[in-house]
Amino acid sequence: MASQGFHSINDDYRNIAASARLDYQVTEDASLKGIFHFVKTDLGLFNNNNFASEPDPNAREATTQFLSKLEWDQKILKNWDYRISGSMFKEHIKDSDDGDSCLFFGFPCDSRTRDRFRPQISTAEFQTNYRVEDWSTTTFGVEYKRRKADTSGGIDKAIRNMGYYLQEQLQFFDRRLILIPGIRLDDNQSFGAAWTPAFSAAYLLRGTGTKFKGGYAKGFKAPTLNELFFPPGFGCPAFGNPNLKPERSWELNAGVEQDLFSDRLKLGVTYFHREVQDLIEGRPIPGDPFGCFRAENVGKARFDGVEWSMDIKLFPFLSMGANYTYLDWDTADGKLRRRPRHRGGLNLNFFYEGLNINLNANLMGSRDDFRAASPFGDITKPGYGIFDLASSYTLPWRFPGVKALALIGKVENLFNKKYEEADGFRARPLNFLLGIRATFGS
């Protein structure tokens, strides 16, 4: 895939991707699965000199990603099975920028830079499930994860995490009542041990089609490799911060779902309350003249919100969905960037004899942000609404070895709305994609 972008200077994008999956039934009770994924991208960073209000003609970023996974599933007894899996993810990010002729406060906008960041994640997992008839399922698992980062700045670090988890799923009264208690222990090489219990429950009133649900969970989130080790680049100090603490959180949620008119209409509403300690965010480096960012622990944060959804089947060939989320929050400095208090969406889907047409609207409210160009500071970005249109048509023809052949099309930003998800980075204008999709098999 390739695009010249929508700016005249250094805004192109190229992507090559390859994926493969192989499933092999070794015996009646055992199977082997292999997954491979490769992505190579190269793009121009037109906005790299935002701080100087000048386009950057030569800032580039090239990324190569590689993922492989092998998984073995086997049923030992009728009610007892296990799974063993291992995976490897590698990424190589290369940033380059030659000096520009523009000036910022009398100094060159940038100088020649070459930076490299190579994260790697290795995982191995064992999971087993034991069932007692249809009312009890016990799950136990062990997970090993090793994250490694290698940078051009001389950083070569690895962090190991061992996770142990136990979960019980109980079903009573003809599956009207479901209870799921669970607990997990993370033993992190750099951040110590953390217990994170969780519990959820749901109860269905079949006579009225009403389902009540709720849950409680604690959370532990270690900083990512990017947050810990991302190196200096494009004239900025390192974004990564090796002094970060992990996020620790707890959440409580409760909701209800209601089916009406013989399941033609489904309504749902959920309330949630979440508190986070040592929240990690990218924040401007104090006093930096170029508005560079660094990952920081920004203290405690509280989130309260309500999610509402509706799905309605208007006709056999036409359905509609809608959703809305209100988010109220409180943080140490009274700011929470790029998270709107109001957001929602609408979806209309038409399907008839192989023809599928989908109209989707994403609605975003105003939100806090950082000004990307000088003078730097806090700003409020206005809300926006974006419409996307997608369609597919399954052709009636059949070919040997091809299960289905379809024409596909997609128009993004249907009405060419000008907006920015983040300040200084204009989102894509109206664009479209046409193609053919084939599903192979017998």
Side-chain angles (χ1 to χ4, degrees):
M1 183 174 66
S3 170
Q4 293 301 313
F6 49 88
H7 293 291
S8 60
I9 301 174
N10 193 34
D11 195 34
D12 60 302
Y13 173 82
R14 290 175 177 81
N15 174 286
I16 298 175
S19 298
R21 172 172 168 166
L22 177 65
D23 291 82
Y24 180 64
Q25 196 71 33
V26 182
T27 68
E28 183 179 353
D29 296 322
S31 63
L32 184 65
K33 179 195 303 179
I35 297 174
F36 169 82
H37 191 56
F38 173 81
V39 178
K40 185 177 180 63
T41 62
D42 181 73
L43 68 153
L45 301 178
F46 169 87
N47 298 84
N48 191 55
N49 282 344
N50 259 5
F51 61 88
S53 301
E54 292 277 351
D56 195 315
N58 46 39
R60 309 288 300 181
E61 184 169 273
T63 302
T64 302
Q65 294 180 340
F66 171 84
L67 170 67
S68 60
K69 183 177 181 179
L70 196 62
E71 184 174 293
W72 172 269
D73 289 277
Q74 185 172 7
K75 182 181 293 185
I76 304 172
L77 300 172
K78 181 180 179 181
N79 58 344
W80 186 17
D81 60 64
Y82 74 92
R83 172 174 57 84
I84 300 176
S85 64
S87 67
M88 172 72 74
F89 171 80
K90 291 184 178 181
E91 186 174 33
H92 190 181
I93 302 173
K94 294 187 292 184
D95 293 330
S96 63
D97 191 11
D98 292 328
D100 302 338
S101 59
C102 63
L103 297 177
F104 184 62
F105 290 124
F107 296 95
C109 288
D110 59 12
S111 58
R112 185 178 184 272
T113 60
R114 297 290 186 271
D115 299 292
R116 172 178 50 81
F117 181 53
R118 295 195 297 189
Q120 178 178 309
I121 302 176
S122 306
T123 64
E125 186 175 8
F126 168 81
Q127 183 185 103
T128 183
N129 303 284
Y130 185 79
R131 299 169 183 83
V132 179
E133 297 180 351
D134 61 351
W135 64 270
S136 171
T137 301
T138 303
T139 300
F140 171 75
V142 180
E143 179 189 64
Y144 168 85
K145 180 176 291 186
R146 182 177 183 268
R147 301 181 298 159
K148 183 179 183 296
D150 174 18
T151 76
S152 55
I155 293 177
D156 190 357
K157 299 284 188 179
I159 299 175
R160 183 264 308 153
N161 187 88
M162 289 294 299
Y164 310 87
Y165 56 90
L166 178 65
Q167 177 182 283
E168 179 69 27
Q169 179 172 307
L170 302 169
Q171 301 183 85
F172 301 106
F173 310 122
D174 194 22
R175 300 186 180 182
R176 286 179 294 160
L177 175 63
I178 299 177
L179 304 174
I180 307 178
I183 191 166
R184 178 182 173 100
L185 170 64
D186 282 287
D187 181 14
N188 190 280
Q189 181 181 1
S190 297
F191 303 106
W195 291 92
T196 50
F199 177 80
S200 63
Y203 185 78
L204 174 64
L205 297 174
R206 287 210 174 104
T208 61
T210 307
K211 177 189 286 187
F212 299 96
K213 58 183 182 178
Y216 168 83
K218 295 187 71 174
F220 170 84
K221 178 180 176 294
T224 66
L225 292 174
N226 281 12
E227 292 166 342
L228 287 169
F229 304 124
F230 202 91
F234 301 119
C236 283
F239 172 81
N241 181 357
N243 298 317
L244 288 174
K245 300 176 183 178
E247 291 184 357
R248 299 177 188 269
S249 63
W250 67 271
E251 179 175 333
L252 183 68
N253 62 77
V256 59
E257 295 178 359
Q258 180 67 58
D259 290 332
L260 298 169
F261 307 118
S262 301
D263 296 338
R264 295 177 64 90
L265 174 64
K266 175 178 283 189
L267 300 173
V269 62
T270 301
Y271 164 79
F272 60 89
H273 173 87
R274 185 168 184 253
E275 295 189 9
V276 184
Q277 183 177 346
D278 294 318
L279 178 69
I280 299 174
E281 281 198 336
R283 290 292 177 90
I285 300 173
D288 187 273
F290 302 126
C292 298
F293 281 60
R294 176 178 291 133
E296 299 284 356
N297 291 113
V298 297
K300 294 183 178 180
R302 172 196 56 80
F303 303 88
D304 286 282
V306 177
E307 297 176 337
W308 172 85
S309 65
M310 178 189 72
D311 293 290
I312 180 171
K313 192 173 183 179
L314 300 171
F315 302 100
F317 54 85
L318 185 65
S319 62
M320 183 179 72
N323 64 83
Y324 167 75
T325 300
Y326 170 75
L327 178 66
D328 181 48
W329 42 258
D330 182 37
T331 61
D333 65 355
K335 295 285 185 180
L336 193 64
R337 282 76 178 179
R338 300 173 183 171
R339 300 189 192 182
R341 294 187 183 273
H342 305 274
R343 65 186 307 168
L346 295 169
N347 183 274
L348 196 63
N349 191 76
F350 173 88
F351 184 82
Y352 183 72
E353 294 186 352
L355 175 63
N356 191 183
I357 301 175
N358 185 274
L359 178 64
N360 189 68
N362 292 305
L363 310 173
M364 187 75 65
S366 61
R367 60 224 176 273
D368 295 329
D369 203 351
F370 300 103
R371 188 188 304 277
S374 181
F376 305 113
D378 294 323
I379 60 172
T380 299
K381 298 293 292 183
Y384 59 85
I386 303 301
F387 291 82
D388 298 326
L389 180 65
S391 180
S392 67
Y393 177 66
T394 301
L395 299 173
W397 312 317
R398 292 293 180 266
F399 301 95
V402 180
K403 294 177 64 176
L405 191 66
L407 301 176
I408 59 173
K410 184 176 183 179
V411 182
E412 294 181 317
N413 199 354
L414 183 62
F415 300 110
N416 201 28
K417 175 73 174 180
K418 293 183 179 181
Y419 70 102
E420 294 178 340
E421 295 180 358
D423 187 62
F425 296 85
R426 181 188 167 191
R428 288 192 291 180
L430 184 149
N431 61 94
F432 66 89
L433 171 71
L434 297 174
I436 297 176
R437 181 178 61 220
T439 303
F440 298 95
S442 56

